[in-house]
Amino acid sequence: MSINVNRANWKLLWTRSKSLVIFPIVISYIFLNLVGPQSAGTNEKSRFGLMQAMSDQTTFKINDYIWSVDWARTPDGNYYSNKAPGIAFITFPVFYLVDQTVKLFTGKKIIERATAGWIRILIATIYQLIPFAIIVLVLAWYFRNHESMPNSALVFFALATLFGNTASLFMINFMGHGFSAILFTLLVISLFYRNYFFTGLIFGQLFLGEYASIFILPVVIFTILYQNKKNFNWLIPFITGGIVPGLLWCWYHYSCYGSIFKTAGNYQNPDFVDMANVKGNFLGIFAPYPKPQALFELLFGMKKGLLVTQPWILFLLIIAPIKLMMNRQKLSAIKIEMVVFILLSFLSLLLMNASFGAWHAGSTSGPRYLSMVLPMFGVVYLILNPTFLKSEKFILWSLLIIALVFKWLTYVTTVMAPPLDIWPYLIDSAVTGYSKTILRSLIVIFASAGTFYWAKRLAIQKRRLKN
């Protein structure tokens, strides 16, 4: 399985993408995010504080931009963002251009202008919303034209990937998880395209922007070794690809913490150091092993669990290994490798998340520390679709509808729910803020009706062309 984007006729690809039945769903995804954006609160303020310090003072110190509790303080009394710097680095050129333009025309210093909604929306649209839409279209185009995937499967894929998982909540804010999900998707594509330079580059950027991604590095290395057996020709391009993000890592962490082996976790805000009294803890924020209670909560719990936020993924987690074993002869080796890679990556992040003191990730409407992997379960669905029974497809569609209703609830309320039983909280918030609920619900109904009508017309046109 490969997607040869280097040789693609982009004009032809765009023309064919517009004819896909899922194209209206993609447009609806962009529309709904732009019409109903939501802030990620203190998390994104910490990232904006770093970029504002870089723009105003050419420094990583956020001493004058402590806009949230998300900070790290070194022994010399300086403050830094407690977030990995990757997304700040890659979005900084746009931020700097906007920031300097505002200064040029206003001549004023507006201390918290960086957290203004329009800047957040602009950056999220350029770096997350549009790129993710393009990736979904390209993947759908590939599976439609090279795997003869039926429209029903493509519709499921589009709805599940764009709306039915936790990462979809963060595509229009600056929390970083949306961008990490894009990088993980590109990592999977590059890995199974056997482009190890790009694999190294993407993983390096992913690690620079999401510290937790270090836990999937063993899965990446294991997969490459399996692909190449005793051949180590992959090593040089993989390392070469990771040089630039690696140098950025060294520069940032040495500048901030005096060592490339120290991160913000070594100097975390004491309010977040909740594992200090646990024997064998790491940095005071990780237990030495995954906590069974946290594992249960992440999978089945009422606060953030997959069961109540995106149950179709939980079902795939259960059924995918069974389908792989039962259909080893029907599925190509590379498809099996891809599904196994995604499942193992999820397992690695799950074990990490369950070891974290604040496993619930604070205020967030879903398990956000797992979110980078979750959109790729849409690809797992497409790969395994030919092996599903009608009853299994029915179950998956039923569970996806639950995830879409959950997405609607977060859309009319908040993507930053506290660690409480999430459905009662969101329903209560929807009732309390009924005016906003009604307005946003009307927007969703309008977008859904338009999407259905447009998609139906595309399907009819395709049927006529075939006849």
Side-chain angles (χ1 to χ4, degrees), residues 149-428:
M149 198 62 59
N151 284 334
S152 58
L154 294 178
V155 169
F156 184 100
F157 163 72
L159 291 173
T161 306
L162 297 172
F163 298 103
N165 64 87
T166 300
S168 71
L169 304 179
F170 306 124
M171 287 297 172
I172 197 61
N173 60 44
F174 200 57
M175 186 174 274
H177 297 302
F179 191 67
S180 294
I182 292 172
L183 289 176
F184 182 81
T185 302
L186 293 176
L187 177 68
V188 174
I189 294 172
S190 65
L191 188 57
F192 292 94
Y193 187 49
R194 267 58 169 182
N195 188 326
Y196 298 122
F197 173 85
F198 199 56
T199 300
L201 175 64
I202 293 299
F203 181 80
Q205 180 60 43
L206 182 60
F207 183 42
L208 185 62
E210 187 91 47
Y211 292 140
S213 63
I214 191 63
F215 289 91
I216 68 173
L217 180 59
V219 185
V220 173
I221 299 300
F222 171 79
T223 303
I224 296 176
L225 289 172
Y226 180 81
Q227 290 175 340
N228 292 272
K229 309 305 179 186
K230 296 181 180 180
N231 187 339
F232 286 88
N233 289 338
W234 59 270
L235 192 56
I236 292 177
F238 181 77
I239 293 174
T240 304
I243 285 178
V244 171
L247 289 175
L248 288 173
W249 167 281
C250 294
W251 175 43
Y252 178 80
H253 291 90
Y254 186 81
S255 299
C256 296
Y257 311 118
S259 171
I260 64 173
F261 300 109
K262 290 184 178 180
T263 69
N266 295 87
Y267 305 101
Q268 188 69 265
N269 182 337
D271 292 344
F272 300 143
V273 182
D274 51 5
M275 292 280 106
N277 296 325
V278 176
K279 185 178 180 180
N281 75 83
F282 179 64
L283 300 179
I285 56 177
F286 282 100
Y289 51 81
K291 296 169 289 183
Q293 179 68 20
L295 280 172
F296 177 85
E297 289 288 343
L298 288 166
L299 294 174
F300 310 107
M302 297 296 106
K303 296 180 177 66
K304 313 285 182 179
L306 296 180
L307 179 64
V308 297
T309 58
Q310 49 231 302
W312 66 277
I313 290 180
L314 186 61
F315 185 74
L316 277 180
L317 283 169
I318 296 169
I319 200 172
I322 299 171
K323 289 297 179 180
L324 289 180
M325 289 186 289
M326 292 176 60
N327 297 275
R328 290 193 300 270
Q329 306 303 321
K330 296 180 182 179
L331 295 170
S332 66
I334 196 165
K335 289 181 180 178
I336 294 174
E337 289 174 18
M338 183 176 287
V339 173
V340 171
F341 176 78
I342 295 168
L343 293 177
L344 289 179
S345 296
F346 173 84
L347 178 61
S348 299
L349 291 180
L350 177 66
L351 295 175
M352 174 279 300
N353 197 165
S355 304
F356 192 49
W359 61 265
H360 49 72
S363 294
T364 174
S365 300
R368 66 182 175 93
Y369 295 143
L370 305 176
S371 62
M372 76 169 81
V373 178
L374 301 182
M376 284 305 288
F377 277 88
V379 172
V380 172
Y381 172 85
L382 287 180
I383 291 173
L384 298 180
N385 180 265
T387 71
F388 289 140
L389 303 174
K390 286 186 178 180
S391 58
E392 292 165 342
K393 291 180 180 178
F394 176 79
I395 291 172
L396 280 163
W397 271 103
S398 300
L399 297 177
L400 176 61
I401 290 172
I402 294 174
L404 295 178
V405 173
F406 179 81
K407 170 68 175 180
W408 164 75
L409 270 176
T410 63
Y411 188 75
V412 301
T413 55
T414 180
V415 299
M416 301 296 289
L420 303 171
D421 287 0
I422 197 162
W423 278 81
Y425 176 83
L426 292 178
I427 291 172
D428 181 66

